[in-house]
Amino acid sequence: MNANMSSAQAQKKNAQEFRRQLTVLHQAAIGVIQVRTKEPYRAVEAMRDFAFAENLDFKLWTVLQGWQSFDKTKPTDEPTIDSTVEPLQALKKITAMDMPPAQRANNAFPERGVYVMMHPHKMLTQHLGMVQIIKEYSKTFCTHYRRLVIVTPFSYQLPEELQDDVIILDFDPPSFAELKESLQRFLSDIKEDKRPRYSDAELDKIVANGTGMTRTEFENAVSRATVAKRAQLPNVPVDELSKMIGDVKTEVVKRSEVLELMEPEPIENIGGLDNLKEWIGKRRTVFSQAARDFGIEPPKGIALIGPPGTGKSASAKAIASVLGLSMLKFDVGRVFQSLVGQSEARVREALKMVDAQSPCVLLIDEADKAFQVGSGGDSGVGQRVLGAILTWMQETKSPVFTVVTANRVENLPSEFLRRGRLDEVFSVTTPNETERLEIIKIHLRKRKQDFNRVSGLEEAVASSAGYVSAELEAAVKDGLIEAFTGGIPITGALIAQQLQYMVPLSEAFKAQFDAMATWAENNARPASRAEGETSQPKLRRRTPVVASAPVQTTGGRAMALDAPKSALDS
């Protein structure tokens, strides 16, 4: 088990949780349910198990075969098929709607049954008759035990006419425990003399690199890795197998188009920011089971506010390294490139993937650009996307450490900074003298230079007041080019010379820098220590950030008046 994963998280099985929620909806007499998933066949398998456990009939409709009827007394037998492939007729057949009233009772599907339609959504969107029938079923099925389930992708949104009638239930990607079971089954199918012998800890390492994948994606990744290493079987190093699975997961994450796996950055590559480093260092082990046993809740995350080039994104990578977690970047800007009506769905699907990969660090970079206060012209899409993200930040139970960065606080919705969504707000600005020396040394070291042998670094430090970290890095890179092409050693004077060719952002945008400094003085904790400080600065009075009114969600349902009494017990 990952050291940062709780024992409950390691043992959780999402299919079992789905069945539990399905049981609650069934007992509450919910007639029509939309199940959103990336794994329709796994979802159908879970629903069939539920139906048989509840002694209910089970039928599955697909556009290829029509209704397939499964025998609950012989669950392993092949189903019978009726070939009603036209979706409107398939819907009507549930209650024998096309027949005279006297014949309906004998020809309708049993009143105690779960009837699943896989992917009827494309036809549903274009067919008013189907919409009307589903609306009718949502009203009548709550009086008995028929349950209609519509299986759709996460991206599908029900027609407006049905949004108040149909309950949505998500079938999440497999959990850590479920992927581990899949891995063990896969390995057990390999011939005895070729089967790798991994310890339980090594199996956990392989599974950790596959979290967030569907079962099919994970099993395909393991199969690809095993075939690629066939010549080494059974002695395939676990690190090699894990890396190959991680590479496949990178491809899977990229397909989301809004998430990106990022490589953590060693904290040693971040100059200064001692207050931030100390704060995050104290939380190095808070995702562990020992911390949970002590009563500690995993931290929600932080905001890093400051001008461009001050190292906010690099700091987020370093945070992932310190916490020992994988890191995802959420590119909110790409969400808005979707077709009309798809933006919110892409956000939901992306956040599901983040939950599935937890514990992890999630970077929402340059949030002020993605959610500019006062921006309009998107028919409210921006506000709905913002609302979905804020609700997730507030309510998710997954151990995700969110890092929100912003260049200009006046463009950042204040809701992002509220306690409960984030734990702290840090201001990141131009480095002080000590930090500038540290940053220059880091960039020399990263470029194979022994900074102890570089003369005159004090001159570079003295000349760099007011420059941000990115500008110091650029000066070091340009100085190295001058040294190499001129056949001369790199020196502090040469670095200082490159700085003279730049106008620092703090001068070019002085008004913005001054406004940011004023805001940070009253509302944020400085990420850096003042020159000469050896510990956290003294507490100061801080102007509270006022959050806007919470975003309201749409849709709803009414509890069936004649729901079974067990609904109240649940």
Side-chain angles (χ1 to χ4, degrees), residues 62-63 94 144 221 250 264 267 293 295 357 385 430 445 510:
T62 68
V63 74
I94 296 176
H144 46 67
T250 299
I267 193 69
D293 293 342
Q357 297 202 38
V385 169
T430 53
R445 187 189 71 233
K510 187 176 187 304

Side-chain angles (χ1 to χ4, degrees), residues 61-124:
W61 178 88
T62 68
V63 74
L64 293 177
Q65 295 180 305
W67 284 110
Q68 304 170 49
S69 300
F70 293 81
D71 188 343
K72 60 187 175 184
T73 63
K74 301 175 182 178
T76 59
D77 284 5
E78 289 295 313
T80 58
I81 298 171
D82 73 355
S83 301
T84 310
V85 296
E86 204 282 318
L88 179 62
Q89 295 305 315
L91 267 176
K92 290 180 177 180
K93 193 165 185 176
I94 296 176
T95 57
M97 190 178 289
D98 280 344
M99 294 186 175
Q103 299 178 25
R104 289 177 187 171
N106 294 329
N107 290 280
F109 290 175
E111 285 198 359
R112 294 184 56 87
V114 177
Y115 308 118
V116 179
M117 298 189 75
M118 186 184 291
H119 294 166
H121 53 286
K122 291 192 180 296
M123 294 79 80
L124 173 61

Side-chain angles (χ1 to χ4, degrees), residues 192-254:
E192 183 76 20
D193 60 330
K194 295 291 185 179
R195 186 183 306 158
R197 305 292 180 180
Y198 295 127
S199 67
D200 197 58
E202 288 174 327
L203 291 175
D204 287 347
K205 187 172 185 177
I206 296 171
V207 173
N209 271 9
T211 53
M213 292 180 174
T214 65
R215 184 170 67 183
T216 300
E217 289 168 342
F218 178 70
E219 290 176 350
N220 287 345
V222 175
S223 180
R224 286 170 58 180
T226 306
V227 169
K229 299 292 181 180
R230 180 184 298 166
Q232 297 175 250
L233 290 175
N235 303 311
V236 180
V238 67
D239 288 340
E240 292 184 15
L241 196 66
S242 296
K243 182 182 182 306
M244 293 189 70
I245 292 170
D247 291 342
V248 175
K249 185 167 82 169
T250 299
E251 299 172 11
V252 171
V253 172
K254 282 183 178 179

